[in-house]
Amino acid sequence: MSIGNSPEDERPFENEHVEADHEEARPSIGRALQQARIAAGLTVDDVSSATRVRMNIVHAIEADDFSACGGDVYARGHIRTLAKAVRLDPAPLLAQYGDEHGGRPAPTPAAPLFEAERIRPERRGPNWTAAMVAAIVAVVGFVGFTMVRGDDGSNEANVAEGSTPGDSASPTTKTKKPADPEPEPSDSAIAAAPQDKVTVRVAAADGRSWIAAKDHNGRMIFDGVLKQGDTKTFQDSSKVQLVLGDAGAIDLFVNGKKIEENFQPGSVERLTYTKGDPEAG
């Protein structure tokens, strides 16, 4: 009778080898995101523009470096956002991150755990200088009006220049009507768009979508989210460049004509339109 390990005793070691082989076969989080991005035909710039996650953070995550995220909570949020952008299920990646970084984080009492970075306009306080100038102008105008009427309290109307003392008609004071704010081009205005310009109307028909638009000089003219039912019109002398975060939710009209493109839901599209017949660039 020999004393040693029985086959049953060796089985756990065999299972450990199988689990080790499984771990080696599973790609890292960053590698999985990078492979999915390349398979979707997207660049790091495309993913950064669509998700508002900075390019250096995207590069770091694809290299499995999560130190630039600012903590586990934000790292999980970035992983979830990037996975959706490259059409991956974020749940297995988040579970893998928890296994590798100590499980789920403690609940955070602060407001939302994660919010994709957005460009927020700077809030401006009241323009006290303009208010003071307006008050001074009003005082000067009142003093001038009093001096013209004279100090004797006479109610006799002033005689217009070039009139005779016998003229009974009082002068007509003409005031310049302030210009009305320029309205956004309507459908009929788009249909009658000038031939020497390019006019693009974007309508969020089937859901919300992030939109970015640049003019022919590459200057950003719009960067934000259109909610379902919202529209936005852009016009330039020669070229309008668009990035659509969710092209499947968008209807496009270029120079009065609808663009019949079968964009897929969730797809990121980079488009350029010029004068003449609408053709995607």
Side-chain angles (χ1 to χ4, degrees), residues 109-274:
L113 296 179
F114 173 79
E115 180 181 3
E117 298 174 9
R118 300 175 184 269
I119 300 176
R120 292 182 173 87
E122 181 182 358
R123 297 184 61 182
R124 299 181 179 178
N127 193 338
W128 297 111
T129 302
M132 184 177 297
V133 171
I136 294 174
V137 171
V139 171
V140 173
F142 177 79
V143 173
F145 177 77
T146 303
M147 293 178 63
V148 170
R149 289 183 62 87
D151 297 330
D152 58 353
S154 173
N155 292 328
E156 183 177 355
N158 294 321
V159 179
E161 182 179 357
S163 64
T164 62
D167 293 335
S168 59
S170 60
T172 300
T173 303
K174 297 182 178 179
T175 59
K176 185 177 180 180
K177 183 179 179 181
D180 295 331
E182 183 177 353
E184 185 172 305
S186 63
D187 292 344
S188 60
I190 293 175
Q195 297 297 320
D196 60 343
K197 293 183 179 180
V198 56
T199 303
V200 178
R201 182 163 70 97
V202 182
D206 298 324
R208 57 182 291 163
S209 176
W210 171 79
I211 304 295
K214 295 181 180 180
D215 61 12
H216 68 281
N217 291 321
R219 181 180 57 188
M220 187 71 70
I221 56 180
F222 180 78
D223 182 1
V225 175
L226 293 187
K227 298 179 180 179
Q228 185 171 4
D230 289 351
T231 62
K232 203 72 179 178
T233 301
F234 312 107
Q235 193 174 73
D236 189 74
S237 60
S238 61
K239 180 171 64 176
V240 172
Q241 305 174 64
L242 294 176
V243 179
L244 307 180
D246 184 355
I250 295 299
D251 284 346
L252 283 179
F253 300 86
V254 179
N255 298 327
K257 298 180 181 179
K258 185 175 181 180
I259 301 299
E260 300 294 344
E261 290 287 350
N262 189 20
F263 296 134
Q264 297 300 316
S267 64
V268 178
E269 297 291 341
R270 304 174 71 90
L271 307 169
T272 299
Y273 294 103
T274 57

Side-chain angles (χ1 to χ4, degrees), residues 43-132:
T43 65
V44 173
D45 186 24
D46 292 334
V47 173
S48 176
S49 297
T51 63
R52 308 304 299 157
V53 177
R54 292 195 297 269
M55 290 181 61
N56 65 312
I57 295 180
V58 178
H59 280 298
I61 290 176
E62 289 189 354
D64 293 310
D65 179 6
F66 302 97
S67 60
C69 297
D72 284 348
V73 173
Y74 295 101
R76 291 173 182 273
H78 287 314
I79 291 171
R80 182 181 297 105
T81 300
L82 295 180
K84 290 180 179 179
V86 298
R87 304 173 190 174
L88 272 183
D89 181 7
L93 297 180
L94 293 174
Q96 183 176 351
Y97 181 87
D99 293 339
E100 297 173 357
H101 296 82
R104 297 179 59 85
T108 303
L113 296 179
F114 173 79
E115 180 181 3
E117 298 174 9
R118 300 175 184 269
I119 300 176
R120 292 182 173 87
E122 181 182 358
R123 297 184 61 182
R124 299 181 179 178
N127 193 338
W128 297 111
T129 302
M132 184 177 297

